[in-house]
Amino acid sequence: MDYIKNAVKLRRELHQIPELGWGEFCTTAKILETIEPLGWKTFVGVEQIGLDAVMGRPEDFVEKSKKRALEEGVDPMLIERMHGYTGTIAELDTGRPGPVTALRFDIDCVGVEETDLKDHLPNKENFRSRHAGVMHSCGHDGHTAVGLTMAQWIVDHKDQLCGRIKLIFQPAEEGVRGGAAQAASGLLDDVNYLLGAHLAMMCPTGEVCVYPEGVLCTTKLDVRFKGRPAHPTMSPHLGRNALACACTCVSELLGMARHGKGLGCINVGMMQAGEGRNVIPVHAQVQLEVRGETAEINDFMVDQANRIVKGTALAYDVDYEVEKVGEAGELNNDPELASLVTEVAGSLPSCERVVQHKKLGCSEDFTMLATRVKAAGGKSEFFVVGADRTAAHHQREFDFDEKGLETAFGIFKGCVLKLNGI
């Protein structure tokens, strides 16, 4: 088999069916239909999710996503097996003693409409998004394609391998919502080595970064205020203004003190409030995120945000609730695995240079999986595979150089051979 052509083919198929986090029913079905005939043992639905750790998963959105998947011809039996939870963890046992190695691939997309520009490759080659308002503008279609290609390669070369290999197809990376839930399943507690990667980012085609920097801890919070309605002139004293509370809260949040030990930031991305111009507003919602260079800084920002919310709610005499809807931690690559990726990448014809450090400025919930693996004594490594971009990540003109698929596949394959080779 030509594995690189296979990865490109799969990437283009997946690009056409982008799905937002926790709604990846078509994508999960595609994964299962690809790997289960190869003999992989799969954990599906609640088997691969720790329910107490699920964040940012609206039930109405999940139901709409299931309905669309069924309308698009996904096997109802597969939908039933998922029990409303997307993603899967697959395992192959070689039957020979050896380490447990896990490879992680995220599967969700971004909520932007794909461009209509004629020179945009998915338009030129007729594999643009078929789903309105969403597209793979972060490279996760490429990640999933590499994971599925690795599934085929591992089966084809099983006689050369020992130990067990796990493939993690993670839902809801955008918004850093799915990593903690899969980690909480316990299915990674026996993993010795965990590897993950991202295509493109700030790296050009031919470059691999072994120690990405500026991968920030983050916490995503939804805040809901509930006041009391009243007529604004006849009985204003009876009302409790949730909108005014939210406005004050946002101002205070954006002005919160920063930490002296490093970068900490906050962004309020959305505020919705009110019912009508002649009613004192009863409901208000604020969506925000904090980020920190370290877990200590991020926790400091979260604590401040919670105090500000509580304080403004008290001042305006309104009820409130705070919901954590996403979380990612620190990225601390293991030197042994970093050296292995350096060695393997440097041996690939498609890799022109390996850089040890490069600043990215993002967050990744691979860190939640890595934290779980390291807590059980395992090691982890997250690297970046360069692939020239046509636009920045999460923009509607985004596309990546598919040559990056060859490098990503080559690194994963080489590391598996080194770690699990006989």
Side-chain angles (χ1 to χ4, degrees):
M1 170 183 276
D2 188 326
Y3 296 105
I4 308 308
K5 285 185 178 180
N6 185 65
V8 172
K9 175 178 175 290
L10 287 168
R11 180 261 165 157
R12 295 187 177 194
E13 291 175 358
L14 291 161
H15 189 86
Q16 297 176 62
I17 54 168
E19 295 168 296
L20 296 172
W22 293 125
E24 313 98 322
F25 291 97
C26 294
T27 305
T28 300
K30 172 74 173 176
I31 293 166
L32 295 172
E33 289 169 345
T34 303
I35 65 176
E36 287 189 329
L38 299 175
W40 287 83
K41 178 181 179 181
T42 56
F43 298 88
V44 184
V46 294
E47 298 171 345
Q48 46 98 41
I49 292 292
L51 294 178
D52 290 342
V54 172
M55 296 179 284
R57 181 182 170 274
E59 286 288 350
D60 57 343
F61 164 74
V62 171
E63 289 304 313
K64 289 178 182 178
S65 300
K66 286 167 62 176
K67 182 179 178 181
R68 182 177 68 181
L70 290 168
E71 290 172 350
E72 294 188 3
V74 173
D75 186 345
M77 294 295 291
L78 287 179
I79 297 293
E80 186 176 342
R81 284 177 60 196
M82 296 179 208
H83 298 289
Y85 291 90
T86 50
T88 186
I89 296 177
E91 180 178 328
L92 186 138
D93 190 341
T94 66
R96 288 174 285 275
V100 180
T101 298
L103 313 177
R104 178 270 203 167
F105 309 96
D106 39 11
I107 68 175
D108 58 329
C109 77
V110 179
V112 298
E113 181 78 24
E114 188 151 18
T115 182
D116 292 324
L117 291 175
K118 292 182 179 179
D119 60 351
H120 181 61
L121 185 66
N123 291 333
K124 288 171 64 176
E125 299 293 334
N126 196 31
F127 65 93
R128 66 173 284 118
S129 169
R130 300 201 305 257
H131 294 166
V134 295
M135 71 169 287
H136 274 295
S137 59
C138 199
H140 297 186
D141 50 344
H143 301 171
T144 307
V146 170
L148 294 176
T149 304
M150 281 299 302
Q152 180 70 62
W153 181 88
I154 290 165
V155 169
D156 291 346
H157 296 80
K158 181 179 176 180
D159 291 344
Q160 302 173 31
L161 303 173
C162 64
R164 289 180 290 131
I165 299 168
K166 299 188 180 187
L167 302 179
I168 306 162
F169 293 97
Q170 185 208 304
E173 189 283 325
E174 301 295 350
V176 291
R177 296 171 289 153
Q182 275 195 322
S185 71
L187 292 175
L188 304 185
D189 290 353
D190 58 353
V191 169
N192 303 113
Y193 304 108
L194 171 67
L195 293 166
H198 206 299
L199 287 162
M201 301 303 283
M202 304 300 289
C203 295
T205 300
E207 183 173 279
V208 171
C209 177
V210 179
Y211 284 102
E213 296 179 341
V215 178
L216 304 174
C217 301
T218 186
T219 303
K220 319 295 186 185
L221 301 174
D222 282 358
V223 182
R224 288 177 283 273
F225 296 105
K226 184 178 180 181
R228 193 183 308 159
H231 193 283
T233 55
M234 287 192 295
S235 54
H237 60 291
L238 298 179
R240 298 293 182 267
N241 196 318
L243 187 156
C245 178
C247 288
T248 299
C249 183
V250 169
S251 295
E252 294 295 324
L253 287 168
L254 294 176
M256 71 163 60
R258 303 307 194 255
H259 202 293
K261 290 186 178 180
L263 175 66
C265 55
I266 181 169
N267 184 62
V268 179
M270 192 188 80
M271 185 177 79
Q272 294 178 329
E275 292 76 36
R277 71 178 70 246
N278 62 345
V279 181
I280 289 177
V282 182
H283 299 97
Q285 177 175 297
V286 174
Q287 294 185 2
L288 66 105
E289 66 171 19
V290 300
R291 302 194 193 221
E293 195 170 338
T294 65
E296 177 187 2
I297 296 171
N298 190 72
D299 290 346
F300 171 79
M301 302 289 287
V302 172
D303 288 344
Q304 279 201 99
N306 279 313
R307 285 198 302 273
I308 288 169
V309 170
K310 181 179 180 179
T312 51
L314 180 64
Y316 282 85
D317 192 21
V318 302
D319 296 326
Y320 77 95
E321 62 178 2
V322 179
E323 179 185 4
K324 182 167 68 173
V325 295
E327 184 177 28
E330 292 184 56
L331 179 65
N332 295 304
N333 284 343
D334 179 81
E336 177 190 345
L337 289 182
S339 296
L340 176 60
V341 170
T342 300
E343 176 189 350
V344 171
S347 69
L348 298 175
S350 60
C351 179
E352 299 170 10
R353 61 190 169 278
V354 179
V355 298
Q356 292 298 299
H357 301 277
K358 200 163 193 175
K359 191 168 184 178
L360 302 183
C362 63
S363 299
E364 245 291 350
D365 68 354
F366 171 88
T367 54
M368 306 305 289
L369 299 166
T371 298
R372 183 82 179 206
V373 167
K374 287 188 282 187
K379 300 180 178 183
S380 69
E381 158 70 14
F382 186 83
F383 55 96
V384 174
V385 177
D388 292 340
R389 306 170 302 166
T390 55
H393 291 255
H394 294 201
Q395 292 189 6
R396 62 197 304 255
E397 297 85 10
F398 175 85
D399 190 36
F400 65 87
D401 187 348
E402 291 177 331
K403 293 178 182 177
L405 299 173
E406 179 179 357
T407 304
F409 172 74
I411 294 175
F412 281 117
K413 178 185 75 172
C415 287
V416 168
L417 276 173
K418 293 282 188 180
L419 296 170
N420 292 78
I422 295 175

